[in-house]
DNA sequence: CTAGGGTTAG
């Protein structure tokens, strides 16, 4: 060997060094480190390098820094298919499906053609995220380019189609029927779509027709029975299965829990040969939903004791159940566990915490979590806004809305529901009307039936019944039962019998089998002395059935939830409770409260 | 492809 070794030119070594650093990026996910490297890349003029730019985008994507990732992308003058694929994948990794979708079309506008990787990134990672029309557009493009692809693409299309409602399932069926070659995944995806659409019989027919079935096929049909609440049929199928995995067992646990049979759920849970986080989550959330805080708490402790680390799904699921049932104690316990975990800064988890605290009435704690968040998305703002509005802090809620706009967060349709809810609670009719008229003009949000509902409630409550009714008539969509119900509520408040009759008749038309509506209508006729109409309605009523379960309120005392319905005397301290209510009623009347008139 | 999962008027 010569004593003077051949030196690598500096730019090559620098490039190699950078490449090495970039390859190691995923190990650190350290943002400062990343920015340093990007600066070096820019200095070396390597940002257009078809190998380096995608690596950098992926690294930023892993750090959830999509705006920085997009910056890298925008620096490249002529992005190629690899770069587009990387960006699409980065978007899907960060749950930004709309952006992934538009990037897909942007690449075609720029005459960069999708390759065999583009569709898998788009379809697989976004499975269940696209609306029917979007899947249809992707489908059209695939057919236009006429790729000769493996079975993966049609399978992914069926999967995506079958996750967007009835229309989607029909499209999936069509595609499934024309496929010349099908594997077990094609069948399973199709069956899963039918199960989701509630077409259980059709799903079962296909299942029986399959040339061969794997455990997924069995699990899918099992889930179909569970979703239909047919636990006996589910049990029968479960016993027939040639092989059961953790999903099969979890499906059974979930089914019994949803059916309210926690003993059977626990029986299956205890019998499972292997448990991952999912059955633990199902079981704990199941207990929580039913208000069984102690059972939920002890199981949560047990899960942590055996060394299982809850993931964000576990946290979110249990928190949502705690919020629903008002279990502040359980929620606090979960919060403690979150603070100790590496998920303490997860936006999704914090959003659930905000919602839980707000729904449990602990607004200070909700605000504390909200203020401590490193990154807030629109859901965070919506949760906090709605929490404030729900508990009567209308002004604070509207204040939060202006803060949201100041910080440059784009409100969405849900935000406005919170805003209207706040206006309703403070009685700010003019503000509500203003927000309603500007939401489309200034924010590009087309009012949906829900927004009309809020406005009708707002107008109706303060007695602007005519205006509320005009708004109902002006709706671009068919008013649903909730709209008429809201209007009816307003009529009740302000004793407008005529309009109440209109509303209730609409309700009966929409849902002729609901006996409740006939009762209300007959009471209206009774109250104005139209006894012939009263008799007519009572006669109509006889043909209907299904009295609904009475609405219930609940309160948590010492980790135990007590539920109450109208005229409930089942509680052991019932007489003391009613004595207290009477005293409260007396005091309320003293200060001028007039109970609302009821039909 | 199958089991748990964040905000939504009355």
């Amino acid at each position: 060997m010569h004593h003077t070794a051949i030196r690598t030119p500096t730019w090559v070594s620098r490039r190699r060094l950078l490449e090495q650093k970039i390859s190691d990026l995923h190990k650190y996910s350290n943002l400062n480190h990343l920015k340093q490297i990007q600066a070096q890349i820019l200095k070396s003029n390597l940002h257009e390098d078809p190998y380096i730019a995608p690596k950098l985008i992926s690294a930023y994507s892993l750090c959830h820094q999509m705006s920085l990732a997009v910056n890298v992308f925008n620096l490249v003058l002529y992005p190629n298919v690899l770069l587009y694929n990387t960006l699409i994948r980065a978007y899907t990794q960060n749950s930004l499906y709309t952006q992934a979708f538009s990037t897909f079309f942007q690449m075609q506008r720029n005459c960069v053609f999708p390759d065999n990787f583009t569709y898998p990134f788009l379809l697989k990672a976004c499975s269940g995220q696209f609306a029917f029309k979007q899947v249809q557009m992707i489908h059209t493009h695939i057919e236009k380019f006429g790729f000769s692809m493996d079975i993966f693409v049609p399978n992914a299309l069926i999967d995506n189609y079958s996750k967007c409602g009835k229309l989607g399932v029909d499209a999936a069926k069509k595609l499934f029927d024309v496929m010349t070659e099908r594997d077990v995944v094609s069948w399973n995806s199709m069956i899963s779509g039918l199960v989701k659409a509630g077409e259980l019989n059709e799903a079962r027919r296909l299942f029986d027709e399959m040339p061969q079935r794997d455990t997924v096929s069995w699990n899918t049909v099992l889930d179909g029975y569970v979703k239909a609440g047919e636990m006996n049929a589910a049990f029968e199928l479960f016993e027939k299965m040639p092989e059961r995995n953790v999903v099969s067992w979890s499906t059974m646990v979930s089914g019994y829990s949803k059916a309210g049979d926690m003993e059977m759920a626990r029986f299956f849970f205890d019998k499972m040969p292997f448990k991952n986080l999912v059955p633990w989550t199902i079981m704990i959330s199941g207990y929580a939903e039913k208000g069984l805080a102690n059972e939920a708490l002890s199981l949560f402790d047990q899960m942590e004791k055996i060394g299982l680390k809850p993931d964000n799904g576990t946290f979110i699921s249990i928190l949502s159940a705690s919020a629903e049932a008002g279990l502040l104690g359980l929620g606090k316990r979960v919060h403690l566990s979150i603070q100790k975990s590496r998920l303490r800064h997860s936006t999704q988890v914090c959003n659930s915490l905000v919602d839980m605290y707000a729904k449990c009435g602990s607004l200070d704690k909700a605000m504390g979590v909200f203020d401590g968040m490193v990154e807030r998305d629109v859901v965070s703002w919506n949760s906090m806004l709605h929490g404030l509005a729900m508990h009567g802090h209308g002004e604070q809620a509207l204040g939060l809305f202006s803060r949201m706009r100041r910080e440059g967060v784009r409100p969405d349709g849900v935000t406005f529901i919170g805003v209207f809810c706040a206006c309703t609670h403070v009685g700010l009719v003019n503000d509500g009307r203003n927000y309603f008229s500007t939401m489309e003009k200034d924010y590009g949000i087309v009012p949906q039936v829900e927004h009309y509902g809020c406005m009708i409630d707002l107008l109706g409550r303060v007695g602007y019944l005519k205006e509320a009714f005009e708004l109902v008539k002006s709706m671009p969509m068919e008013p649903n039962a909730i709209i008429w119900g809201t209007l009816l509520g307003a009529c009740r408040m302000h004793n407008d019998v005529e309009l109440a009759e209109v509303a209730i008749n609409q309700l009966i038309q929409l849902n002729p089998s609901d006996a409740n509506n006939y009762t209300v209508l007959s009471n209206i006729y009774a109250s104005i002395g139209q006894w012939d109409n009263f008799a007519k309605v009572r006669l109509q009523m006889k043909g209907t059935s299904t009295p609904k379960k009475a609405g219930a309120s609940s309160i948590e005392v010492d980790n135990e939830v007590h539920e109450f319905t109208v005229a409930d005397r089942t509680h052991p301290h019932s007489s003391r409770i009613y004595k207290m209510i009477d005293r409260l009623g007396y005091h309320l009347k003293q200060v001028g409260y007039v109970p609302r008139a009821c039909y």
Side-chain angles (χ1 to χ4, degrees), chain A residues 188 219 311 351 377 382 457 482:
Chain A
N188 288 347
N219 287 344
D311 64 1
N351 288 348
D377 61 9
N382 291 348
D457 188 36
I482 296 163

PDB file of all heavy atoms in Angstrom, chain A residues 188 219 311 351 377 382 457 482, chain B residues 1-7 9-10:
ATOM      1  N   ASN A 188     -62.446 -11.586   3.754  1.00  0.00           N
ATOM      2  CA  ASN A 188     -62.579 -11.027   5.107  1.00  0.00           C
ATOM      3  C   ASN A 188     -62.956  -9.550   5.076  1.00  0.00           C
ATOM      4  O   ASN A 188     -63.812  -9.112   5.847  1.00  0.00           O
ATOM      5  CB  ASN A 188     -61.261 -11.199   5.881  1.00  0.00           C
ATOM      6  CG  ASN A 188     -61.023 -12.637   6.275  1.00  0.00           C
ATOM      7  OD1 ASN A 188     -61.932 -13.470   6.190  1.00  0.00           O
ATOM      8  ND2 ASN A 188     -59.810 -12.937   6.694  1.00  0.00           N
ATOM      9  N   ASN A 219     -63.498 -14.420  13.527  1.00  0.00           N
ATOM     10  CA  ASN A 219     -63.617 -13.275  14.427  1.00  0.00           C
ATOM     11  C   ASN A 219     -64.550 -12.211  13.866  1.00  0.00           C
ATOM     12  O   ASN A 219     -65.301 -11.576  14.606  1.00  0.00           O
ATOM     13  CB  ASN A 219     -62.245 -12.646  14.667  1.00  0.00           C
ATOM     14  CG  ASN A 219     -61.378 -13.506  15.559  1.00  0.00           C
ATOM     15  OD1 ASN A 219     -61.872 -14.412  16.230  1.00  0.00           O
ATOM     16  ND2 ASN A 219     -60.089 -13.235  15.565  1.00  0.00           N
ATOM     17  N   ASP A 311     -51.414   2.005  26.925  1.00  0.00           N
ATOM     18  CA  ASP A 311     -51.095   2.848  25.758  1.00  0.00           C
ATOM     19  C   ASP A 311     -52.142   3.957  25.666  1.00  0.00           C
ATOM     20  O   ASP A 311     -53.020   4.053  26.522  1.00  0.00           O
ATOM     21  CB  ASP A 311     -51.030   2.012  24.467  1.00  0.00           C
ATOM     22  CG  ASP A 311     -52.362   1.398  24.110  1.00  0.00           C
ATOM     23  OD1 ASP A 311     -53.336   1.616  24.838  1.00  0.00           O
ATOM     24  OD2 ASP A 311     -52.429   0.696  23.085  1.00  0.00           O
ATOM     25  N   ASN A 351     -56.467  15.657  25.578  1.00  0.00           N
ATOM     26  CA  ASN A 351     -57.828  16.024  25.198  1.00  0.00           C
ATOM     27  C   ASN A 351     -58.844  15.215  25.992  1.00  0.00           C
ATOM     28  O   ASN A 351     -59.846  15.747  26.455  1.00  0.00           O
ATOM     29  CB  ASN A 351     -58.053  15.778  23.704  1.00  0.00           C
ATOM     30  CG  ASN A 351     -57.324  16.770  22.835  1.00  0.00           C
ATOM     31  OD1 ASN A 351     -56.826  17.780  23.326  1.00  0.00           O
ATOM     32  ND2 ASN A 351     -57.241  16.488  21.558  1.00  0.00           N
ATOM     33  N   ASP A 377     -54.695  20.893  19.612  1.00  0.00           N
ATOM     34  CA  ASP A 377     -55.344  20.868  18.304  1.00  0.00           C
ATOM     35  C   ASP A 377     -56.775  21.377  18.460  1.00  0.00           C
ATOM     36  O   ASP A 377     -57.185  21.773  19.550  1.00  0.00           O
ATOM     37  CB  ASP A 377     -55.296  19.466  17.662  1.00  0.00           C
ATOM     38  CG  ASP A 377     -56.000  18.422  18.493  1.00  0.00           C
ATOM     39  OD1 ASP A 377     -56.672  18.799  19.463  1.00  0.00           O
ATOM     40  OD2 ASP A 377     -55.878  17.233  18.177  1.00  0.00           O
ATOM     41  N   ASN A 382     -62.047  22.665  21.375  1.00  0.00           N
ATOM     42  CA  ASN A 382     -63.466  22.333  21.393  1.00  0.00           C
ATOM     43  C   ASN A 382     -63.879  21.719  22.724  1.00  0.00           C
ATOM     44  O   ASN A 382     -64.927  22.058  23.266  1.00  0.00           O
ATOM     45  CB  ASN A 382     -63.795  21.364  20.261  1.00  0.00           C
ATOM     46  CG  ASN A 382     -63.697  22.013  18.903  1.00  0.00           C
ATOM     47  OD1 ASN A 382     -63.592  23.224  18.802  1.00  0.00           O
ATOM     48  ND2 ASN A 382     -63.734  21.209  17.858  1.00  0.00           N
ATOM     49  N   ASP A 457     -82.694  26.149  19.359  1.00  0.00           N
ATOM     50  CA  ASP A 457     -82.726  26.090  20.819  1.00  0.00           C
ATOM     51  C   ASP A 457     -82.520  27.481  21.405  1.00  0.00           C
ATOM     52  O   ASP A 457     -83.238  27.910  22.299  1.00  0.00           O
ATOM     53  CB  ASP A 457     -81.639  25.126  21.300  1.00  0.00           C
ATOM     54  CG  ASP A 457     -81.737  24.869  22.788  1.00  0.00           C
ATOM     55  OD1 ASP A 457     -82.865  24.818  23.300  1.00  0.00           O
ATOM     56  OD2 ASP A 457     -80.682  24.726  23.432  1.00  0.00           O
ATOM     57  N   ILE A 482     -84.578  15.608  16.176  1.00  0.00           N
ATOM     58  CA  ILE A 482     -83.978  16.449  17.204  1.00  0.00           C
ATOM     59  C   ILE A 482     -84.411  17.902  17.030  1.00  0.00           C
ATOM     60  O   ILE A 482     -84.703  18.602  17.997  1.00  0.00           O
ATOM     61  CB  ILE A 482     -82.445  16.297  17.178  1.00  0.00           C
ATOM     62  CG1 ILE A 482     -82.082  14.858  17.537  1.00  0.00           C
ATOM     63  CG2 ILE A 482     -81.779  17.269  18.127  1.00  0.00           C
ATOM     64  CD1 ILE A 482     -80.689  14.443  17.188  1.00  0.00           C
TER      65      ILE A 482
ATOM     66  P    DC B   1     -55.688  -3.865   7.134  1.00  0.00           P
ATOM     67  OP1  DC B   1     -55.075  -3.961   8.347  1.00  0.00           O
ATOM     68  OP2  DC B   1     -55.837  -2.857   6.205  1.00  0.00           O
ATOM     69  O5'  DC B   1     -56.907  -4.913   7.037  1.00  0.00           O
ATOM     70  C5'  DC B   1     -58.210  -4.541   6.644  1.00  0.00           C
ATOM     71  C4'  DC B   1     -59.108  -5.736   6.811  1.00  0.00           C
ATOM     72  O4'  DC B   1     -58.459  -6.884   6.261  1.00  0.00           O
ATOM     73  C3'  DC B   1     -59.349  -6.090   8.262  1.00  0.00           C
ATOM     74  O3'  DC B   1     -60.460  -5.368   8.707  1.00  0.00           O
ATOM     75  C2'  DC B   1     -59.663  -7.582   8.173  1.00  0.00           C
ATOM     76  C1'  DC B   1     -58.897  -8.047   6.955  1.00  0.00           C
ATOM     77  N1   DC B   1     -57.685  -8.876   7.274  1.00  0.00           N
ATOM     78  C2   DC B   1     -57.786 -10.270   7.155  1.00  0.00           C
ATOM     79  O2   DC B   1     -58.868 -10.760   6.797  1.00  0.00           O
ATOM     80  N3   DC B   1     -56.706 -11.023   7.438  1.00  0.00           N
ATOM     81  C4   DC B   1     -55.570 -10.430   7.825  1.00  0.00           C
ATOM     82  N4   DC B   1     -54.538 -11.224   8.083  1.00  0.00           N
ATOM     83  C5   DC B   1     -55.454  -9.014   7.941  1.00  0.00           C
ATOM     84  C6   DC B   1     -56.533  -8.272   7.662  1.00  0.00           C
ATOM     85  P    DT B   2     -60.430  -4.690  10.109  1.00  0.00           P
ATOM     86  OP1  DT B   2     -61.544  -3.722  10.164  1.00  0.00           O
ATOM     87  OP2  DT B   2     -59.053  -4.267  10.398  1.00  0.00           O
ATOM     88  O5'  DT B   2     -60.765  -5.900  11.077  1.00  0.00           O
ATOM     89  C5'  DT B   2     -62.021  -6.565  10.963  1.00  0.00           C
ATOM     90  C4'  DT B   2     -62.157  -7.526  12.105  1.00  0.00           C
ATOM     91  O4'  DT B   2     -61.202  -8.601  11.937  1.00  0.00           O
ATOM     92  C3'  DT B   2     -61.806  -6.939  13.441  1.00  0.00           C
ATOM     93  O3'  DT B   2     -62.928  -6.252  13.956  1.00  0.00           O
ATOM     94  C2'  DT B   2     -61.493  -8.199  14.260  1.00  0.00           C
ATOM     95  C1'  DT B   2     -60.878  -9.132  13.211  1.00  0.00           C
ATOM     96  N1   DT B   2     -59.393  -9.235  13.280  1.00  0.00           N
ATOM     97  C2   DT B   2     -58.862 -10.362  13.843  1.00  0.00           C
ATOM     98  O2   DT B   2     -59.553 -11.272  14.295  1.00  0.00           O
ATOM     99  N3   DT B   2     -57.497 -10.392  13.884  1.00  0.00           N
ATOM    100  C4   DT B   2     -56.628  -9.419  13.415  1.00  0.00           C
ATOM    101  O4   DT B   2     -55.417  -9.576  13.515  1.00  0.00           O
ATOM    102  C5   DT B   2     -57.254  -8.258  12.830  1.00  0.00           C
ATOM    103  C7   DT B   2     -56.391  -7.146  12.291  1.00  0.00           C
ATOM    104  C6   DT B   2     -58.589  -8.225  12.787  1.00  0.00           C
ATOM    105  P    DA B   3     -62.737  -4.969  14.843  1.00  0.00           P
ATOM    106  OP1  DA B   3     -64.041  -4.292  14.908  1.00  0.00           O
ATOM    107  OP2  DA B   3     -61.540  -4.243  14.379  1.00  0.00           O
ATOM    108  O5'  DA B   3     -62.402  -5.588  16.270  1.00  0.00           O
ATOM    109  C5'  DA B   3     -63.427  -6.306  16.978  1.00  0.00           C
ATOM    110  C4'  DA B   3     -63.050  -6.456  18.430  1.00  0.00           C
ATOM    111  O4'  DA B   3     -61.865  -7.259  18.539  1.00  0.00           O
ATOM    112  C3'  DA B   3     -62.673  -5.142  19.110  1.00  0.00           C
ATOM    113  O3'  DA B   3     -63.868  -4.517  19.565  1.00  0.00           O
ATOM    114  C2'  DA B   3     -61.857  -5.661  20.298  1.00  0.00           C
ATOM    115  C1'  DA B   3     -61.145  -6.864  19.688  1.00  0.00           C
ATOM    116  N9   DA B   3     -59.782  -6.573  19.256  1.00  0.00           N
ATOM    117  C8   DA B   3     -59.378  -5.858  18.155  1.00  0.00           C
ATOM    118  N7   DA B   3     -58.076  -5.766  18.030  1.00  0.00           N
ATOM    119  C5   DA B   3     -57.598  -6.462  19.130  1.00  0.00           C
ATOM    120  C6   DA B   3     -56.292  -6.731  19.576  1.00  0.00           C
ATOM    121  N6   DA B   3     -55.188  -6.320  18.955  1.00  0.00           N
ATOM    122  N1   DA B   3     -56.153  -7.436  20.707  1.00  0.00           N
ATOM    123  C2   DA B   3     -57.256  -7.858  21.348  1.00  0.00           C
ATOM    124  N3   DA B   3     -58.537  -7.665  21.016  1.00  0.00           N
ATOM    125  C4   DA B   3     -58.634  -6.954  19.883  1.00  0.00           C
ATOM    126  P    DG B   4     -64.035  -2.991  19.537  1.00  0.00           P
ATOM    127  OP1  DG B   4     -65.451  -2.742  19.849  1.00  0.00           O
ATOM    128  OP2  DG B   4     -63.428  -2.497  18.287  1.00  0.00           O
ATOM    129  O5'  DG B   4     -63.132  -2.457  20.728  1.00  0.00           O
ATOM    130  C5'  DG B   4     -63.616  -2.560  22.067  1.00  0.00           C
ATOM    131  C4'  DG B   4     -62.789  -1.673  22.965  1.00  0.00           C
ATOM    132  O4'  DG B   4     -61.451  -2.183  23.047  1.00  0.00           O
ATOM    133  C3'  DG B   4     -62.609  -0.238  22.453  1.00  0.00           C
ATOM    134  O3'  DG B   4     -63.710   0.535  22.890  1.00  0.00           O
ATOM    135  C2'  DG B   4     -61.348   0.185  23.200  1.00  0.00           C
ATOM    136  C1'  DG B   4     -60.551  -1.108  23.257  1.00  0.00           C
ATOM    137  N9   DG B   4     -59.512  -1.189  22.242  1.00  0.00           N
ATOM    138  C8   DG B   4     -59.647  -1.588  20.934  1.00  0.00           C
ATOM    139  N7   DG B   4     -58.524  -1.553  20.266  1.00  0.00           N
ATOM    140  C5   DG B   4     -57.592  -1.100  21.193  1.00  0.00           C
ATOM    141  C6   DG B   4     -56.202  -0.852  21.065  1.00  0.00           C
ATOM    142  O6   DG B   4     -55.491  -0.999  20.062  1.00  0.00           O
ATOM    143  N1   DG B   4     -55.644  -0.390  22.248  1.00  0.00           N
ATOM    144  C2   DG B   4     -56.333  -0.191  23.419  1.00  0.00           C
ATOM    145  N2   DG B   4     -55.644   0.268  24.449  1.00  0.00           N
ATOM    146  N3   DG B   4     -57.633  -0.421  23.556  1.00  0.00           N
ATOM    147  C4   DG B   4     -58.195  -0.868  22.411  1.00  0.00           C
ATOM    148  P    DG B   5     -64.189   1.729  22.049  1.00  0.00           P
ATOM    149  OP1  DG B   5     -65.341   2.252  22.800  1.00  0.00           O
ATOM    150  OP2  DG B   5     -64.305   1.282  20.650  1.00  0.00           O
ATOM    151  O5'  DG B   5     -63.015   2.794  22.076  1.00  0.00           O
ATOM    152  C5'  DG B   5     -62.735   3.514  23.269  1.00  0.00           C
ATOM    153  C4'  DG B   5     -61.844   4.685  22.912  1.00  0.00           C
ATOM    154  O4'  DG B   5     -60.568   4.196  22.457  1.00  0.00           O
ATOM    155  C3'  DG B   5     -62.396   5.546  21.784  1.00  0.00           C
ATOM    156  O3'  DG B   5     -62.633   6.846  22.300  1.00  0.00           O
ATOM    157  C2'  DG B   5     -61.309   5.623  20.734  1.00  0.00           C
ATOM    158  C1'  DG B   5     -60.125   4.954  21.368  1.00  0.00           C
ATOM    159  N9   DG B   5     -59.462   4.018  20.465  1.00  0.00           N
ATOM    160  C8   DG B   5     -59.987   2.914  19.865  1.00  0.00           C
ATOM    161  N7   DG B   5     -59.144   2.280  19.109  1.00  0.00           N
ATOM    162  C5   DG B   5     -57.985   3.024  19.219  1.00  0.00           C
ATOM    163  C6   DG B   5     -56.701   2.824  18.625  1.00  0.00           C
ATOM    164  O6   DG B   5     -56.363   1.940  17.855  1.00  0.00           O
ATOM    165  N1   DG B   5     -55.811   3.812  19.010  1.00  0.00           N
ATOM    166  C2   DG B   5     -56.083   4.859  19.863  1.00  0.00           C
ATOM    167  N2   DG B   5     -55.106   5.716  20.106  1.00  0.00           N
ATOM    168  N3   DG B   5     -57.266   5.046  20.424  1.00  0.00           N
ATOM    169  C4   DG B   5     -58.157   4.101  20.055  1.00  0.00           C
ATOM    170  P    DG B   6     -63.644   7.774  21.636  1.00  0.00           P
ATOM    171  OP1  DG B   6     -64.821   7.748  22.493  1.00  0.00           O
ATOM    172  OP2  DG B   6     -63.730   7.463  20.210  1.00  0.00           O
ATOM    173  O5'  DG B   6     -62.926   9.154  21.802  1.00  0.00           O
ATOM    174  C5'  DG B   6     -62.315   9.445  23.076  1.00  0.00           C
ATOM    175  C4'  DG B   6     -61.850  10.869  23.033  1.00  0.00           C
ATOM    176  O4'  DG B   6     -60.703  10.972  22.171  1.00  0.00           O
ATOM    177  C3'  DG B   6     -62.833  11.856  22.406  1.00  0.00           C
ATOM    178  O3'  DG B   6     -63.848  12.152  23.345  1.00  0.00           O
ATOM    179  C2'  DG B   6     -61.899  13.043  22.166  1.00  0.00           C
ATOM    180  C1'  DG B   6     -60.602  12.321  21.770  1.00  0.00           C
ATOM    181  N9   DG B   6     -60.379  12.319  20.331  1.00  0.00           N
ATOM    182  C8   DG B   6     -60.954  11.551  19.358  1.00  0.00           C
ATOM    183  N7   DG B   6     -60.542  11.830  18.159  1.00  0.00           N
ATOM    184  C5   DG B   6     -59.636  12.858  18.359  1.00  0.00           C
ATOM    185  C6   DG B   6     -58.859  13.594  17.434  1.00  0.00           C
ATOM    186  O6   DG B   6     -58.818  13.473  16.206  1.00  0.00           O
ATOM    187  N1   DG B   6     -58.082  14.551  18.069  1.00  0.00           N
ATOM    188  C2   DG B   6     -58.046  14.775  19.427  1.00  0.00           C
ATOM    189  N2   DG B   6     -57.244  15.719  19.867  1.00  0.00           N
ATOM    190  N3   DG B   6     -58.754  14.098  20.300  1.00  0.00           N
ATOM    191  C4   DG B   6     -59.532  13.156  19.699  1.00  0.00           C
ATOM    192  P    DT B   7     -65.304  12.386  22.845  1.00  0.00           P
ATOM    193  OP1  DT B   7     -66.178  12.147  23.999  1.00  0.00           O
ATOM    194  OP2  DT B   7     -65.514  11.663  21.588  1.00  0.00           O
ATOM    195  O5'  DT B   7     -65.319  13.940  22.514  1.00  0.00           O
ATOM    196  C5'  DT B   7     -64.917  14.885  23.507  1.00  0.00           C
ATOM    197  C4'  DT B   7     -65.033  16.273  22.924  1.00  0.00           C
ATOM    198  O4'  DT B   7     -64.125  16.370  21.822  1.00  0.00           O
ATOM    199  C3'  DT B   7     -66.397  16.568  22.325  1.00  0.00           C
ATOM    200  O3'  DT B   7     -67.225  17.131  23.316  1.00  0.00           O
ATOM    201  C2'  DT B   7     -66.070  17.602  21.248  1.00  0.00           C
ATOM    202  C1'  DT B   7     -64.634  17.263  20.853  1.00  0.00           C
ATOM    203  N1   DT B   7     -64.533  16.605  19.525  1.00  0.00           N
ATOM    204  C2   DT B   7     -64.320  17.387  18.427  1.00  0.00           C
ATOM    205  O2   DT B   7     -64.214  18.596  18.484  1.00  0.00           O
ATOM    206  N3   DT B   7     -64.234  16.707  17.235  1.00  0.00           N
ATOM    207  C4   DT B   7     -64.346  15.341  17.051  1.00  0.00           C
ATOM    208  O4   DT B   7     -64.245  14.840  15.935  1.00  0.00           O
ATOM    209  C5   DT B   7     -64.567  14.573  18.253  1.00  0.00           C
ATOM    210  C7   DT B   7     -64.694  13.084  18.157  1.00  0.00           C
ATOM    211  C6   DT B   7     -64.649  15.229  19.413  1.00  0.00           C
ATOM    212  P    DA B   9     -73.869  18.340  22.549  1.00  0.00           P
ATOM    213  OP1  DA B   9     -73.018  18.810  23.634  1.00  0.00           O
ATOM    214  OP2  DA B   9     -74.461  16.997  22.631  1.00  0.00           O
ATOM    215  O5'  DA B   9     -75.042  19.386  22.327  1.00  0.00           O
ATOM    216  C5'  DA B   9     -74.769  20.788  22.396  1.00  0.00           C
ATOM    217  C4'  DA B   9     -75.930  21.539  21.788  1.00  0.00           C
ATOM    218  O4'  DA B   9     -75.978  21.258  20.379  1.00  0.00           O
ATOM    219  C3'  DA B   9     -77.300  21.132  22.345  1.00  0.00           C
ATOM    220  O3'  DA B   9     -77.748  22.186  23.211  1.00  0.00           O
ATOM    221  C2'  DA B   9     -78.219  21.118  21.147  1.00  0.00           C
ATOM    222  C1'  DA B   9     -77.299  20.985  19.962  1.00  0.00           C
ATOM    223  N9   DA B   9     -77.302  19.629  19.410  1.00  0.00           N
ATOM    224  C8   DA B   9     -76.771  18.487  19.936  1.00  0.00           C
ATOM    225  N7   DA B   9     -76.942  17.429  19.196  1.00  0.00           N
ATOM    226  C5   DA B   9     -77.637  17.903  18.102  1.00  0.00           C
ATOM    227  C6   DA B   9     -78.143  17.292  16.951  1.00  0.00           C
ATOM    228  N6   DA B   9     -77.994  15.988  16.712  1.00  0.00           N
ATOM    229  N1   DA B   9     -78.804  18.061  16.069  1.00  0.00           N
ATOM    230  C2   DA B   9     -78.939  19.374  16.327  1.00  0.00           C
ATOM    231  N3   DA B   9     -78.504  20.067  17.359  1.00  0.00           N
ATOM    232  C4   DA B   9     -77.864  19.269  18.222  1.00  0.00           C
ATOM    233  P    DG B  10     -78.763  21.787  24.397  1.00  0.00           P
ATOM    234  OP1  DG B  10     -79.195  23.073  24.940  1.00  0.00           O
ATOM    235  OP2  DG B  10     -78.086  20.801  25.255  1.00  0.00           O
ATOM    236  O5'  DG B  10     -80.000  21.071  23.725  1.00  0.00           O
ATOM    237  C5'  DG B  10     -81.246  21.748  23.592  1.00  0.00           C
ATOM    238  C4'  DG B  10     -82.325  20.726  23.331  1.00  0.00           C
ATOM    239  O4'  DG B  10     -81.750  19.654  22.546  1.00  0.00           O
ATOM    240  C3'  DG B  10     -82.919  20.089  24.594  1.00  0.00           C
ATOM    241  O3'  DG B  10     -84.330  20.137  24.554  1.00  0.00           O
ATOM    242  C2'  DG B  10     -82.441  18.658  24.593  1.00  0.00           C
ATOM    243  C1'  DG B  10     -82.014  18.411  23.154  1.00  0.00           C
ATOM    244  N9   DG B  10     -80.779  17.613  23.070  1.00  0.00           N
ATOM    245  C8   DG B  10     -79.642  17.747  23.815  1.00  0.00           C
ATOM    246  N7   DG B  10     -78.708  16.889  23.489  1.00  0.00           N
ATOM    247  C5   DG B  10     -79.272  16.141  22.470  1.00  0.00           C
ATOM    248  C6   DG B  10     -78.747  15.056  21.715  1.00  0.00           C
ATOM    249  O6   DG B  10     -77.644  14.523  21.807  1.00  0.00           O
ATOM    250  N1   DG B  10     -79.654  14.592  20.779  1.00  0.00           N
ATOM    251  C2   DG B  10     -80.911  15.119  20.585  1.00  0.00           C
ATOM    252  N2   DG B  10     -81.650  14.551  19.641  1.00  0.00           N
ATOM    253  N3   DG B  10     -81.416  16.122  21.273  1.00  0.00           N
ATOM    254  C4   DG B  10     -80.546  16.579  22.198  1.00  0.00           C
TER     255       DG B  10
END
